[in-house]
Amino acid sequence: MKVGKVWLVGAGPGDAGLFTLKGCEVLKKAEVVVYDSLVGQGVLTKIPDSARRIYVGKRADKHTVPQEQINEILLEEAKKGYRVVRLKGGDPFLFGRGGEELELLTENQIPYEVVPGVTSPLAVPAYNGIPVTHRDFCSSLHIITGHRRAGQEYDIDFEALVRTKGTLVFLMGVASLGDICRGLLDAGMDPAMPAAVLQKGTTAGQKRIVSDIENLPEEAARQGVETPAVIIVGKVCALADTFAWYEKLPLAGWKVLVTRPKNRSSRTSELLREKGAEVLELPSIQTAALKDQSLLAQALEKMDSYQWAVFTSPTGADVFFEEMKNQKKDIRCLHGVKLAAIGQGTRAALEARGLLVDLVPDVYDGDSLGKALAERLQGGERILIPRARKGNENLVRILESRGAAVDDIPTYETVYESSSLIDLRKELESESIDCAVFTSASTVRGFVESTKGADYSGLTAACIGKQTQAAADAFGMETYVSERAAIDDLVALVEKIKAQKERE
C-alpha cells in the first residue's frame, strides 16, 4: 500500500510575493491542501485546481476545526497515499502548532517535510519601517503570544520582558491590548516607551498606529484596529516614520483584481506588485484549444496559398504553432506569408518563435487591425485567421470588403471560470477591491458571470481598450481605458486612477 507524505508549508504574512520559492514548488505538486483562514488570498490562488482542498479555519457559523481533528486529517490523507500540503499562515513552527501536527505523523511513521515561512513578527514591522533590532536601541528580540484562554490570567513574566530591554512583539493580542500594556507598565516599563499596533501588514489593508505604551490602547480604540494585527513595543518603533517605505509606493494600499487567464496574468500582476498593490489573481476566463483542429490542419497543408496570417491573441499563436508541430511542420512552411498581430502581446508571442511581424495597428483591437490590413491589400489576397471560436466579426467583413478571401478558422474557445476558494461577490459587497483590471470584453463577461446579481456601480474598472470598456459600461461599472492596449499602459492607468481618486 502506497504511503503518502505531508509537507508543513508556511504561507507567509499575506503578501503573495513573500511566499517562498520552495513553498510554491511544493504547493504546485499537492494532491490535497489543508489550509486555514490566515493564509493570504494571493497564496490561496496558487493552489492547483487539481488539488482537493480542506478548509480548517473559522467560518461565521462554525468553530475552528479542533487541532486534534486537523492532526487526524493529515494522517488519514497521507495514509491514502496522497501528497498532502498543510498550508499555514506565517511559519508552521511559530505559534502555528506545527509540532503538534508532526507528533501524530511521527508516531505513525508518515514521512514529512517542513517548509519555513516568512514570519509576521519580522515582516510586518519591516513593511512599516520598523527594524526589530537596531544597535543603537536594543540587542534582543522577543516574540510572545498575546492570546490567552477565556477566563484565565496571562502566563507571561512581564517583569522579565521589561528587564530584557529588547523589542517585544506580541501576536494574536489585539483583543487584550489594554491588559498587555498594563502588564508591562505594572512591571516597571517607562510609560513613554514607543509602541505600535500594526494591522494587516504586507497587504492593502496595512495600517500603523504608533504611540507610547501608556497611551497605545486609547489611541488604538480611537483609530480602530482590525485583525490580524501585531503589537510591537520598543524604542525601534520611533523609527517608523523615518524608515517608512511601503506607503510611498504609488499603488500602496490598493487591492487590485486581475481577471486575465492564469497563463497570461504573471506580467500584469508583477508590474502591479512592483508598484505596491496587493494583487488578487482570479481569472474570469480560461482558454482551451479545440479538440478538432482539422480545419487548421488543412490550412497548414496549403500555407503557400496564403499571403497573410493574422493573429488576434497570444493564445491563437500558441495553438497555431502547437498544431504546426503536430503536423510535423516548422516555420519554413510560413515562407512568403506576411504576419499581422493585434497588439504587442501577440507580437511578442510570434517574435519568441523567431518571426518578425509585418503589421501591428496603432490601436490594438479587431476593427483597427482590419482597417490597417485592408489598406495594405490589393484585392484577391488569401488571408488565414486562426483565432477564438467567437471573434470580432467586423475584422472579417472589413477584409472581405477589400476583396480578400478569408479563412476564419476557430482554434480555441473561451470559457468562464470562477474561484471556489474566494467568494468574489463577497469581496465586491465589502468594497475591498479598489480596482478590477480587464484585458478583454470576455474577461468582463466572465467576471459578471461569477458574481451574478452583484452591484457593479461602485467598482472601478481599468480597461485595456474601448471594446472592453463598452462591456464594463454595460454593467454600470466606473470605467477607465488605457491609452494603448498594452499591459504597461494598463498598469499606468491603474496608477493614474488611484492618484486621481486621492485628489478628489
Side-chain angles (χ1 to χ4, degrees):
M1 179 179 175
K2 179 185 176 183
V3 177
K5 184 173 179 177
V6 176
W7 283 261
L8 265 62
V9 178
D15 182 348
L18 297 180
F19 189 36
T20 67
L21 291 173
K22 184 170 183 179
C24 194
E25 287 302 314
V26 169
L27 188 58
K28 284 179 183 177
K29 300 173 183 177
E31 295 174 304
V32 177
V33 178
V34 181
Y35 67 101
D36 58 46
S37 57
L38 289 179
V39 177
Q41 290 181 327
V43 176
L44 288 178
T45 61
K46 297 181 183 296
I47 296 176
D49 296 335
S50 58
R52 183 156 50 87
R53 299 91 178 260
I54 301 175
Y55 178 71
V56 294
K58 288 184 178 179
R59 291 178 179 171
D61 58 341
K62 294 183 180 180
H63 295 296
T64 304
V65 176
Q67 184 62 48
E68 294 76 13
Q69 186 177 340
I70 295 174
N71 301 345
E72 290 290 343
I73 289 171
L74 297 178
L75 175 62
E76 292 305 312
E77 294 299 330
K79 281 184 174 181
K80 295 174 186 176
Y82 294 120
R83 296 174 58 91
V84 183
V85 168
R86 172 66 171 110
L87 192 60
K88 306 166 75 73
D91 180 272
F93 282 178
L94 184 63
F95 304 133
R97 306 185 76 170
E100 296 175 45
E101 293 170 350
L102 293 187
E103 288 176 358
L104 188 60
L105 298 176
T106 301
E107 289 175 10
N108 288 270
Q109 298 182 322
I110 299 296
Y112 57 81
E113 289 186 31
V114 179
V115 181
V118 175
T119 187
S120 60
L122 302 181
V124 171
Y127 266 55
N128 282 274
I130 300 174
V132 291
T133 63
H134 190 292
R135 64 185 299 177
D136 294 336
F137 297 110
C138 64
S139 57
S140 64
L141 166 67
H142 310 271
I143 303 171
I144 310 102
T145 176
H147 177 73
R148 64 178 176 185
R149 294 185 178 181
Q152 295 186 11
E153 294 295 322
Y154 270 123
D155 185 21
I156 296 176
D157 188 340
F158 285 107
E159 292 183 358
L161 291 177
V162 173
R163 286 196 301 270
T164 67
K165 299 181 181 180
T167 301
L168 310 178
V169 180
F170 293 86
L171 305 183
M172 302 174 288
V174 172
S176 302
L177 175 61
D179 291 338
I180 291 171
C181 293
R182 192 176 308 111
L184 292 171
L185 288 169
D186 291 346
M189 180 168 280
D190 182 354
M193 177 66 72
V197 177
L198 310 177
Q199 167 189 300
K200 296 182 178 180
T202 81
T203 75
Q206 177 167 308
K207 178 180 177 181
R208 177 175 67 250
I209 300 173
V210 179
S211 182
D212 54 52
I213 192 67
E214 184 175 39
N215 296 297
L216 185 62
E218 180 182 348
E219 187 62 23
R222 185 182 71 81
Q223 294 193 36
V225 178
E226 298 176 14
T227 57
V230 304
I231 302 164
I232 181 166
V233 180
K235 295 178 181 179
V236 290
C237 292
L239 298 170
D241 290 339
T242 302
F243 290 166
W245 59 272
Y246 171 75
E247 53 259 50
K248 296 177 182 178
L249 297 174
L251 290 179
W254 259 37
K255 187 174 184 178
V256 180
L257 173 67
V258 174
T259 58
R260 295 196 86 186
K262 188 172 292 186
N263 61 336
R264 300 293 175 194
S265 63
S266 58
R267 175 167 165 74
T268 310
S269 300
E270 179 184 335
L271 291 174
L272 289 167
R273 288 192 180 107
E274 283 180 1
K275 292 183 177 293
E278 178 186 353
V279 178
L280 180 57
E281 293 183 14
L282 289 180
S284 61
I285 62 170
Q286 60 177 323
T287 55
L290 300 179
K291 292 183 179 179
D292 183 3
Q293 297 288 350
S294 57
L295 292 177
L296 180 56
Q298 293 172 21
L300 288 169
E301 290 297 330
K302 56 180 180 180
M303 281 305 300
D304 57 356
S305 70
Y306 294 107
Q307 283 73 53
W308 284 89
V310 178
F311 295 92
T312 60
S313 70
T315 300
D318 291 343
V319 176
F320 177 84
F321 287 103
E322 184 63 28
E323 183 59 26
M324 197 163 71
K325 185 169 65 175
N326 293 339
Q327 298 300 321
K328 309 299 182 185
K329 297 181 182 296
D330 60 24
I331 59 175
R332 287 174 292 184
C333 75
L334 298 177
H335 174 69
V337 180
K338 293 183 178 180
L339 304 177
I342 197 169
Q344 296 299 333
T346 306
R347 167 188 266 175
L350 294 169
E351 290 183 345
R353 294 174 169 86
L355 297 168
L356 298 180
V357 175
D358 299 280
L359 173 66
V360 178
D362 293 332
V363 178
Y364 305 153
D365 60 36
D367 286 7
S368 299
L369 175 60
K371 291 173 183 176
L373 180 52
E375 292 177 359
R376 303 275 290 269
L377 301 180
Q378 301 297 318
E381 288 92 347
R382 294 201 59 166
I383 300 174
L384 173 64
I385 310 179
R387 59 173 180 166
R389 189 192 295 276
K390 294 182 180 179
N392 184 321
E393 296 178 358
N394 281 340
L395 173 59
V396 175
R397 291 196 193 102
I398 292 169
L399 297 175
E400 288 182 339
S401 70
R402 290 286 294 181
V406 179
D407 285 349
D408 185 13
I409 296 179
T411 61
Y412 68 95
E413 60 185 345
T414 300
V415 295
Y416 298 145
E417 184 177 13
S418 61
S419 171
S420 59
L421 286 170
I422 298 173
D423 188 340
L424 189 50
R425 180 168 175 175
K426 185 177 180 180
E427 293 288 317
L428 288 177
E429 291 172 350
S430 64
E431 299 182 346
S432 68
I433 295 174
D434 296 287
C435 184
V437 172
F438 296 111
T439 55
S440 67
S442 58
T443 60
V444 175
R445 291 189 288 269
F447 168 78
V448 171
E449 180 69 20
S450 65
T451 55
K452 284 183 177 179
D455 179 8
Y456 305 108
S457 61
L459 179 65
T460 299
C463 305
I464 202 167
K466 293 182 179 179
Q467 293 175 352
T468 305
Q469 183 182 33
D473 282 337
F475 295 101
M477 301 178 194
E478 180 186 341
T479 62
Y480 300 81
V481 64
S482 58
E483 292 185 9
R484 297 185 310 151
I487 297 302
D488 287 353
D489 290 66
L490 189 58
V491 172
L493 173 65
V494 176
E495 188 175 346
K496 181 179 178 181
I497 295 170
K498 181 175 185 286
Q500 177 179 318
K501 287 182 175 292
E502 289 175 345
R503 290 193 299 267
E504 293 176 350

